Amino acid sequence: MYFPWTVCDYPLAQAVEDRIVKAPLIVTKEDDPKQPKEDPDHVTADNIGEKFGYWLRAAATRWKEHEKVYKKLGTRPVLSS
């Protein structure tokens, strides 16, 4: 490695195609009638938890389900934004 501190712009789609990273999992519950139909409007620092609460809970639930499976394998799932 010539310059270990060098940072480059590498698009996520290309990284997935090159198998550098795993394909991201989009957390939704397609059959859930409570799922918001539209993206939230007027999001501020004060109401972000309320506006994105549905997706935050869905992601945490999915992560907990994966954690149980991965625990048996001796590893941990990663939740990222």
Side-chain angles (χ1 to χ4, degrees), residues 27-49:
V27 180
T28 60
K29 297 179 179 179
E30 298 298 327
D31 58 345
D32 187 353
K34 294 179 186 174
Q35 180 177 346
K37 304 295 184 221
E38 303 283 328
D39 287 342
D41 291 331
H42 311 295
V43 179
T44 66
D46 294 327
N47 68 8
I48 194 165

